[in-house]
Amino acid sequence: MKDLKSLEVWFVTGSQYLYGEETLQQVAEHSQIIAKSFNDTSLIPVSIVFKPTVKTPEEIYNVCIEANTAKNCIGIIAWMHTFSPAKMWISGLKILQKPLCHLHTQFNSDIPWKEIDMDFMNLNQSAHGDREFGFIMTRMRLRRKVIVGHWQDPKVLDKINVWTRAAAGWNDWQGAKFVRFGDNMRYVAVTDGDKVEAEMKFGYSVNTHGIGDLVKVIGEVTDAEVDKLLQEYKDSYKLADSLQIGNEKYQSLIEAARIELGLQYFLEHGNFKGFTDTFEDLHGMTQLPGIGAQRLMAAGYGFAGEGDWKTAALVRAMKVMGSGLQGGNSFMEDYTYHFNPDNQMVLGSHMLEICPSIAHGKPSCEIHPLGIGGKADPVRLVFNVSGGTALNASVIDMGNRFRLLVNEVEAVAPVHELPKLPVARVLWKPLPDMATGCAAWILAGGAHHTCYSQNLTSEHLEDFAHMAGIEIVFIDRETRLREFKNELCWNEVYYHLNIK
Ligand code: MN
């Protein structure tokens, strides 16, 4: 997965010439110290780059233009150490296309009670300087993150960490290409949507290739490549008996490896960051990609089944956001329920394609029939998933806007063996409880397809949605259905007015 350290966030401090050279010198020194400490801490995954203090409309405009065009710059952290009259920021903020995080901090943590004088007051005045900056961003209806606290406070660092991860996901979408093999699953509504609007809003494109284009590439995979991958399967997973060399299903494993290598070649050479397929369109393919889709997801590609390009793109962005963190992100589907009144849970899975990045223990590589699609039995990785906090996220197309839904869940380690279930699976309890969580999700129109995350929080997705300028609704510990319904109504009006 992506090394986030190759990405830059620029640390920009605003001021003005009113204060004189000496004060500006101190402002610059303080900013450099803060930027360096952000860059040096392992708590922030990206590179933080100090930029000289901006003091005029021209300097502000120029740093915004530079940020827009700098390939590795994924956003700006802005701080007003002193007062920076905010009309100076209008022209720059008008053209800034990278995400902005407003850090409301102060160089000193404590007031030096005995020494404090007017010089100190004039130097350390972000308490009102940042309010002026906040006003202009609000006046311009600009979405941004505001982080408040001392710059060495671990809570502040964590909020910056979260925001930079969201910015990395957002940056990854800009110019990204996703390929859809075949169309949307016939008649399915929620997986479909406006790809033109998505490209305008999200920056990624989705284009279709007929399955024949993929089949051709699969046909060109060499035996040597297949042998190497078969060895990797053997080394990485518990291989079912029937798939062992020479046994009755060994040929299917060879085919699965060929499909994976063909897919990988297609994605690499087309510069795609993810893909979708559908079991309704497998002409010329022997099996639906199972293990191949699973392993490519684990390698960082976005994926979703049945032509669901919105979820495939979301899986990719969430994988980028979670780079380097413990746990994983996977394509997921609410599959079936445990409605026992004492212990209500969702069993999440898919026909085949759950990402082994969320697996507990070593997956087993198995082959079983697939009830639909009319093809040969597909090879897949089967595993359980640990308990712990997690979330499901889904993007839907509301017609006049995209909505991101997030449901925080509590995953539950399986207590029963599932000897006859031939797919990877997860058990979870939706927050705040099964009845409320599921009702809220359904009222908000959330898809059956999601990205399941073990390592991202609602805050990552909140920051991400604000960067995208889309609606986001949360279903969490605090959700009350009556208020939630009202929120949906109010949002309907807000987005109808098309304010921003
Ligand atoms: Mn599905």
Side-chain angles (χ1 to χ4, degrees), residues 225-237:
E225 290 170 307
V226 170
D227 287 345
K228 198 164 157 243
L229 186 55
L230 289 171
Q231 188 60 45
E232 195 176 326
Y233 288 171
K234 215 175 144 194
D235 295 343
S236 311
Y237 314 114

Side-chain angles (χ1 to χ4, degrees), residues 306 331 333 350 448-449:
E306 294 106 43
F331 171 50
E333 180 168 307
H350 204 253
H448 54 293
H449 284 172

Side-chain angles (χ1 to χ4, degrees), residues 185 191 279 304-306 308 331-333 335 349-351 353 448-449:
M185 183 179 166
T191 52
F279 62 87
E306 294 106 43
D308 184 354
F331 171 50
M332 189 57 67
E333 180 168 307
Y335 224 106
S349 186
H350 204 253
M351 291 188 302
E353 313 94 336
H448 54 293
H449 284 172

Side-chain angles (χ1 to χ4, degrees), residues 310-475:
K310 294 193 297 299
T311 305
L314 184 65
V315 168
R316 164 67 186 195
M318 289 172 70
K319 282 179 175 290
V320 171
M321 288 188 238
S323 285
L325 298 177
Q326 285 281 318
N329 291 276
S330 175
F331 171 50
M332 189 57 67
E333 180 168 307
D334 296 73
Y335 224 106
T336 200
Y337 286 145
H338 187 57
F339 261 149
N340 181 308
D342 299 327
N343 186 26
Q344 303 200 46
M345 288 186 285
V346 180
L347 190 153
S349 186
H350 204 253
M351 291 188 302
L352 302 169
E353 313 94 336
I354 300 299
C355 177
S357 68
I358 64 169
H360 174 70
K362 196 177 196 176
S364 57
C365 180
E366 303 178 14
I367 183 164
H368 303 276
L370 189 68
I372 51 180
K375 290 282 169 179
D377 302 351
V379 178
R380 79 288 305 272
L381 297 173
V382 180
F383 50 85
N384 287 317
V385 174
S386 311
T389 56
L391 60 79
N392 281 308
S394 162
V395 175
I396 59 164
D397 184 343
M398 289 290 292
N400 65 341
R401 65 187 186 276
F402 291 102
R403 168 181 287 164
L404 177 59
L405 291 94
V406 179
N407 185 195
E408 295 179 5
V409 305
E410 192 64 41
V412 179
V415 284
H416 300 283
E417 294 288 316
L418 300 155
K420 290 190 173 172
L421 189 67
V423 283
R425 59 277 181 152
V426 195
L427 289 165
W428 67 76
K429 293 170 184 275
L431 293 181
D433 57 72
M434 184 88 163
T436 311
C438 294
W441 187 271
I442 286 169
L443 284 166
H448 54 293
H449 284 172
T450 59
C451 180
Y452 176 88
S453 180
Q454 294 173 318
N455 56 21
L456 301 178
T457 63
S458 288
E459 191 180 346
H460 290 96
L461 291 158
E462 181 179 8
D463 291 351
F464 186 72
H466 286 327
M467 289 169 193
I470 62 165
E471 180 189 5
I472 182 163
V473 293
F474 301 100
I475 304 165

